[in-house]
């Protein structure tokens, strides 16, 4: 432990955002990094607790990848940044992803969160990996001894990328199949650039290619290439395609022009920023429109920020859940992730938020959306008579989460067992499906979740696959 009294002497200080009036003019990241001395001071606040709940030990709900947070906090405090980067990468393949878009359950689990002053773990993590890239400390880890085993990974999101990188580093030949033009999955086509610019993905793809991973993009397995042919060609197959079936809102007027899923809207803007063609699809734009986002999670927040940057006249977010409390009851919730009121950077940029609202129907004229009929609901989500109201809108974005992987195509052709939520069935130790040569990791197995869980599952799945193929493994779980 570097500074025994650091948490007593130094107040929490975290990264700030560029002013909203400036940041909404472009799609660039707007988080302002902390100066190095400030980061070292913040790292000194780590108490190196007897039970470091930030690790996600048994009974805690901290970091799913088990980052050794007190260790690299101590190294940062001492100015040993390169060693901190080495330690950080022992548990997390892509800390620049988590350092930008993870909600930081580790900070909720920090002992100092009992007094609402947790260590700025996420900012320190991001600073470590950014400094590592700046100083060329991150280099390909090439395995010269090859095993002769071939592995196919289907889906290049964080779970697939993590699994592929781990397996390539122990000498397997790994090919990643990706249906889109570029690798990254939801990180590239769902997360807006203002939250994470795609240079971070490109650098990792470049690193992985030098390590021997081959990215086969533009191939939709189940459509462009059969899953049976892949199983015949490879010794093992990992499914990591994500949870893409969006939750719909099948009410009157759903067919009207102007009602879209969030994942019809967000990828278009990401492709525009990435200079990709939109494949002759109709542009979905919020420009000069009254926009309503239905759904209160991260995807809904991303729709808000994107709509504002496109020049929406107004943006309103509807949530059927009641308004959360301003703060949690620490002694009941800690060290678990608490349910409380949170305001995202996108919501701060000018969105109106409405809670306990149910959408009853869409209304339009000449086939185009014009308004939304709503009603307030009670704590049991039952409509309250007399609370009906109408919202004017030209564009509605459905951001109510995802229910399961897409069934038609690869999953149906493969015929693997599914759980009661229609995710691919496998446990979280072996990650083995009902097919003898097929494993699964990430949202396709566990359902819609966080990037940090995807990385964890990809790493653990890689360990299971390596052990199955080689009868032993050196890969960590």
């Amino acid at each position: 432990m570097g500074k025994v009294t650091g948490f007593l002497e130094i107040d929490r200080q975290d990264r700030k955002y560029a002013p909203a009036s400036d940041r909404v003019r472009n799609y660039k990241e707007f988080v302002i990094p902390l100066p190095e001395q400030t980061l070292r001071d913040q790292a000194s606040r780590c108490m190196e607790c007897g039970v470091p709940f930030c690790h996600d030990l048994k009974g805690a709900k901290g970091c799913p990848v088990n980052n050794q947070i007190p260790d690299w906090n101590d190294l940062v405090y001492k100015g040993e940044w390169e060693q901190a980067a080495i330690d950080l990468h022992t548990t997390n393949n892509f800390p620049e992803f988590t350092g930008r878009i993870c909600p930081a359950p580790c900070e909720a689990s920090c002992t100092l969160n009992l007094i609402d002053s947790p260590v700025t773990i996420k900012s320190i993590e991001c600073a470590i990996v950014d400094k590592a890239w700046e100083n060329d400390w991150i280099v390909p880890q090439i395995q010269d001894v090859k095993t002769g085993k071939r592995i196919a990974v289907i889906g290049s999101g964080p779970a697939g990328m993590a699994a592929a990188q781990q397996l390539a580093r122990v000498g397997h030949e790994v090919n990643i199949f990706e249906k889109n033009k570029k690798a990254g999955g939801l990180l590239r086509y769902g997360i807006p650039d203002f939250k994470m610019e795609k240079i971070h993905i490109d650098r990792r793809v470049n690193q992985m290619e030098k390590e021997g991973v081959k990215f086969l993009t533009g191939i939709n397995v189940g459509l462009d290439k059969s899953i049976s042919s892949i199983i015949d060609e490879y010794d093992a197959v990992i499914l990591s395609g994500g949870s893409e079936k969006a939750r719909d809102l099948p009410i009157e007027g759903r067919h009207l022009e102007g009602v879209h899923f969030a994942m019809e809207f967000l990828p278009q803007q990401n492709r525009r920023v990435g200079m990709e063609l939109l494949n002759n699809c109709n542009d979905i734009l919020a420009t000069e429109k009254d926009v309503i986002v239905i759904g209160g999670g991260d995807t809904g927040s991303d729709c808000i920020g994107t709509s504002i940057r496109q020049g929406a006249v107004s943006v309103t977010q509807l949530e059927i859940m009641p308004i959360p409390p301003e703060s949690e009851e620490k002694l009941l919730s800690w060290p678990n992730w608490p349910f409380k009121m949170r305001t995202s950077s996108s919501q701060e940029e000018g969105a109106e938020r409405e809670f306990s609202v149910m959408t009853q129907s869409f209304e339009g004229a000449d086939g185009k959306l014009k308004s939304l009929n709503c009603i307030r609901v009670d704590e049991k989500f039952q409509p309250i008579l007399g609370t009906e109201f109408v919202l004017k809108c030209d564009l509605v974005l459905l951001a109510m989460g995802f229910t399961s992987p897409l069934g038609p195509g690869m999953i149906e052709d493969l015929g693997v067992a599914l759980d009661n939520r229609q995710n691919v069935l496998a446990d979280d130790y072996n990650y083995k499906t009902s097919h003898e040569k097929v494993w699964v990791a990430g949202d396709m197995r566990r359902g819609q979740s966080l990037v940090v869980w995807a990385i964890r599952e990809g790493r653990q799945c890689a360990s299971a696959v390596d052990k199955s193929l080689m009868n032993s493994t050196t890969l960590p779980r």
Side-chain angles (χ1 to χ4, degrees), residues 7-56:
F7 70 97
L8 295 172
E9 298 172 5
I10 299 169
D11 293 333
R12 172 182 165 92
Q13 183 178 343
D14 206 353
R15 296 174 291 182
K16 290 182 169 54
Y17 300 147
S21 58
D22 294 336
R23 67 185 192 240
V24 299
R25 300 174 185 273
N26 57 62
Y27 292 88
K28 296 185 179 297
E29 293 179 14
F30 52 79
V31 179
I32 302 171
L34 294 171
E36 179 170 336
Q37 187 57 54
T38 302
L39 286 162
R40 293 178 63 176
D41 290 343
Q42 291 301 302
S44 78
R45 299 182 67 246
C46 180
M47 299 169 68
E48 199 166 332
C49 310
V51 179
F53 292 98
C54 56
H55 279 270
D56 190 25

Side-chain angles (χ1 to χ4, degrees), residues 160-332:
M161 287 180 66
Q165 185 168 60
Q166 293 293 94
L167 290 165
R169 287 176 173 178
V170 291
H172 300 305
E173 178 186 341
V174 185
N175 291 351
I176 296 183
F177 291 85
E178 169 57 50
K179 66 181 179 181
N180 291 299
K181 182 179 178 181
K182 297 180 181 179
L186 191 67
L187 292 174
R188 185 178 295 277
Y189 294 103
I191 303 297
D193 287 73
F194 56 79
K195 287 177 67 174
M196 191 183 81
E197 294 179 32
K198 307 319 172 198
I199 179 61
H200 306 296
I201 303 172
D202 296 336
R203 287 191 300 199
R204 287 297 182 181
V205 169
N206 181 260
Q207 178 196 30
M208 291 172 64
E209 287 178 333
K210 291 178 179 177
E211 292 173 345
V213 177
K214 187 174 182 179
F215 289 84
L216 304 173
T217 58
I219 299 175
N220 191 336
V221 176
L223 182 63
D224 302 317
K225 186 177 179 66
S226 70
I227 183 63
S228 59
S229 67
I230 291 177
I231 289 174
D232 290 340
E233 294 171 21
Y234 292 86
D235 297 292
V237 177
I238 297 175
L239 308 179
S240 55
S243 180
E244 296 184 281
K245 186 176 180 180
R247 185 171 286 109
D248 206 347
L249 188 60
I251 58 176
E252 184 181 348
R254 172 64 178 86
H255 66 282
L256 290 169
E257 180 183 337
V259 183
H260 299 278
F261 288 118
M263 288 306 295
E264 294 175 302
F265 173 69
L266 293 172
Q268 280 198 3
Q269 185 55 48
N270 285 10
R271 287 189 169 94
R272 291 186 193 100
V273 175
M275 305 298 287
E276 284 189 50
L277 296 176
L278 298 187
N279 299 322
N280 299 318
C281 62
N282 293 326
D283 278 353
I284 305 170
L285 291 166
T287 310
E288 298 182 355
K289 293 179 180 177
D290 292 298
V291 180
I292 293 179
V293 178
I294 301 179
D298 289 339
T299 303
S301 179
D302 294 342
C303 288
I304 291 170
T306 302
S307 296
I308 290 172
R309 282 161 180 77
Q310 288 183 356
V313 174
S314 68
V315 183
T316 303
Q317 186 175 33
L318 304 183
E319 171 62 76
I320 196 170
M321 298 292 289
I323 188 168
E326 285 296 325
S327 60
E328 72 273 32
E329 178 56 58
K330 298 288 187 184
L331 296 182
L332 295 178

